[in-house]
């Protein structure tokens, strides 16, 4: 039973990210008239859709269940990518990004909650960090294999789009294979629509370490996030369009290493995580200052530490959330997550306006060093490792 459940969950994680258009849709948008700044606004639009969709998403998830919520979200993604193909204009891209943003909200709330609750219900709570790392590994493998989408551009963007739609359909099939029903004592608590956000804040304030860990995880996850901008950065570095996917393949391979082996460090001290965040910042700053293809290995080191650190922090966060409030708290988490992501997209866009993406990378690295200083001064040793015990 557990094996089938994990295979289905891992399968969804893989196919949800195995989109051959991943390395080329940014280039497709640029080729259809978008400027670098307008490209940044695309990701901001998607994040805004995710934020404003959080309350209805959490409400819908509590009423129809996590699995059916995710299936609905996958259909929204299918509509989005097909829309880009047949309406490649600024407004067409905006509407598609809105739908994609809503799908992201469903995945963040429903899928992450289902993963934790199902593992916990099967008595494997202690293995959650390992399973989370494996889930993230399959996601990274899916994204990494998507890098070959750039090699298929000789067939045309249409073929790449329809192959991506097929992958989304496969992710829906994986969801339909899930037979898990959470026991009553860990089912998400039904909260009136108007109280969802307020309830999430109340739960976080009642558990101070939950709020602190959430903020640290959000900063560590968003400030170094360059995945959406790797294609234009690669073009600026001089990588040909047909090989641009290999830059993503390399960096996401590094991310996979960080995610896959993060569980081995789950009992390390808080300061270990803080210094890892500082190391990410330093690697970003040095690469941004040099900014040459031959030094992508520096960015690769940053990606290993970035994704590994985030896996550890997110695992700690999940352990602290009461299961009956998981959908609500994860909805709040996703809302704040995309607020920070919007700010990061603005910084990256600002860097492009200054003449190069390199300035954005240097600024992000500097911000990570400020996060390190804050964690050492204000957070250090205040929230030791623990697993939150659910209350009935």
């Amino acid at each position: 039973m557990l094996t089938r459940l994990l295979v289905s969950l891992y399968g969804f994680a893989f196919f949800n990210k195995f989109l051959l258009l991943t390395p080329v849709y940014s280039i497709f948008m640029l080729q259809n008239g978008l400027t670098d700044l307008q490209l940044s606004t695309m990701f901001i639009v998607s994040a805004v859709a995710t934020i404003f969709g959080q309350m209805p998403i959490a409400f819908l998830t509590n009423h129809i269940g996590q699995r059916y919520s995710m299936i609905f979200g996958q259909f929204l993604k299918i509509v989005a990518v097909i829309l880009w193909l047949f309406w490649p204009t600024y407004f067409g891209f905006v509407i598609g990004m809105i739908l994609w943003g809503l799908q992201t909200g469903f995945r963040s709330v429903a899928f992450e909650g289902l993963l934790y609750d199902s593992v916990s219900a099967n008595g494997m709570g202690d293995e959650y960090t390992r399973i989370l790392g494996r889930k993230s590994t399959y996601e990274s493998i899916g994204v990494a294999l998507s890098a070959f989408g750039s090699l298929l551009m000789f067939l045309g963007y249409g073929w790449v789009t329809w192959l991506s739609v097929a992958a989304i359909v496969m992710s829906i099939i994986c969801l339909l294979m899930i037979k898990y029903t959470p026991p009553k004592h860990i089912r998400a608590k039904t909260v009136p629509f108007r109280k969802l956000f307020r309830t999430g804040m109340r739960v976080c304030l009642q558990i101070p370490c939950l709020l602190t860990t959430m903020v640290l995880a959000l900063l560590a996850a968003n400030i170094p996030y360059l995945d959406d901008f790797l294609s234009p950065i690669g073009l600026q570095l001089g990588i040909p369009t047909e090989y641009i996917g290999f830059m993503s393949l390399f960096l996401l391979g590094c991310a996979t290493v960080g995610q896959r082996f993060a569980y081995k460090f789950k009992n390390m001290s808080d300061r270990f995580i803080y210094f890892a965040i500082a190391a990410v910042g330093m690697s970003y700053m040095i690469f941004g200052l040099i900014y040459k293809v031959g030094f992508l290995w520096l960015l690769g080191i940053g990606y290993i530490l970035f994704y590994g650190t985030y896996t550890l922090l997110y695992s700690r966060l999940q352990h602290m959330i009461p299961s009956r409030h998981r959908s609500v708290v994860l909805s709040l988490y996703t809302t704040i997550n995309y607020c920070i992501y919007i700010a990061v997209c603005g910084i990256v866009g600002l860097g492009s306006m200054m003449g190069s993406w390199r300035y954005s990378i240097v600024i992000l690295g500097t911000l990570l060093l400020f996060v390190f200083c804050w964690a050492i001064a204000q957070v250090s040793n205040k929230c030791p490792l623990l697993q939150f015990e659910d209350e009935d």
Side-chain angles (χ1 to χ4, degrees), residues 54-368:
Q54 282 310 293
M55 294 180 69
I57 286 170
F59 179 80
L60 186 63
T61 299
N62 283 341
H63 281 76
I64 70 173
Q66 296 161 324
R67 183 176 63 152
Y68 291 111
S69 292
M70 289 188 290
I71 291 174
F72 179 70
Q74 295 307 97
F75 279 109
L76 293 180
K77 182 185 280 190
I78 290 175
V79 174
V81 299
I82 294 177
L83 182 64
W84 291 343
L85 179 64
F86 290 101
W87 192 18
T89 66
Y90 181 82
F91 292 105
F93 294 141
V94 166
I95 295 174
M97 277 297 187
I98 290 173
L99 296 176
W100 194 308
L102 292 174
Q103 182 273 336
T104 300
F106 278 107
R107 181 189 57 78
S108 299
V109 174
F111 182 59
E112 298 299 340
L114 177 62
L115 178 66
Y116 185 88
D117 286 344
S118 59
V119 170
S120 178
N122 281 274
M124 297 187 66
D126 291 341
E127 295 295 313
Y128 174 71
T129 303
R130 182 196 295 265
I131 293 172
L132 176 63
R134 287 179 176 173
K135 183 270 296 184
S136 299
T137 297
Y138 284 113
E139 288 180 331
S140 293
I141 292 173
V143 176
L145 292 178
S146 298
F148 292 99
S150 62
L151 292 177
L152 296 177
M153 280 297 284
F154 73 92
L155 296 173
Y157 187 78
W159 277 97
V160 175
T161 297
W162 290 115
L163 288 172
S164 297
V165 169
I168 300 174
V169 172
M170 287 299 300
S171 74
I172 294 175
I173 293 174
C174 289
L175 291 174
L176 292 173
M177 291 173 57
I178 298 175
K179 301 299 183 182
Y180 166 73
T181 300
K184 293 182 179 180
H185 74 280
I186 66 170
R187 286 179 182 170
K189 183 180 180 180
T190 301
V191 181
F193 178 80
R194 66 184 181 278
K195 295 183 180 179
L196 284 173
F197 191 86
R198 187 171 62 187
T199 300
M201 285 299 300
R202 177 176 58 80
V203 173
C204 290
L205 291 174
Q206 288 177 346
I207 311 171
C209 283
L210 171 61
L211 183 60
T212 302
T213 303
M214 178 183 292
V215 172
L216 188 58
L218 287 166
L219 294 175
N222 283 283
I223 293 177
Y225 189 80
L226 287 173
D227 293 22
D228 293 329
F229 297 94
L230 292 180
S231 294
I233 289 174
L235 288 177
Q236 195 173 76
L237 288 170
I239 301 175
T241 300
E242 61 270 24
Y243 300 121
I244 204 72
F246 288 105
M247 176 179 170
S248 299
L249 182 64
F250 167 68
L251 291 176
L252 293 172
C254 292
T256 300
V257 172
Q259 293 165 336
R260 180 65 182 84
F261 296 102
Y263 75 94
K264 294 182 177 292
F265 302 93
K266 66 178 182 179
N267 294 321
M268 297 297 290
S269 67
D270 295 339
R271 288 179 178 270
F272 173 83
I273 294 180
Y274 306 153
F275 278 101
I277 293 174
V280 176
M282 289 298 299
S283 67
Y284 271 50
M285 289 181 64
I286 297 173
F287 173 75
L289 293 172
I290 299 174
Y291 207 57
K292 292 182 179 179
V293 174
F295 288 86
L296 276 173
W297 60 270
L298 276 172
L299 204 57
I301 292 175
Y303 258 61
I304 292 174
L305 295 173
F306 158 33
Y307 276 88
T309 299
Y310 175 64
T311 299
L312 292 173
L313 287 171
Y314 192 78
S315 175
R316 293 187 183 192
L317 176 67
Q318 284 278 29
H319 282 309
M320 296 176 183
I321 302 174
S323 289
R324 58 179 178 173
H325 294 299
R326 194 167 305 282
S327 292
V328 178
V329 174
L330 289 179
S331 178
L332 174 64
Y333 175 89
T334 303
T335 301
I336 301 174
N337 178 71
Y338 281 95
C339 285
I340 299 175
Y341 174 73
I342 288 172
V344 171
C345 286
I347 293 171
V348 175
L350 177 62
S352 69
M353 291 178 63
M354 295 169 63
S356 175
W357 300 106
R358 69 187 303 170
Y359 300 119
S360 304
I361 298 173
V362 172
I363 294 172
L364 295 180
T366 303
L367 290 176
L368 285 172

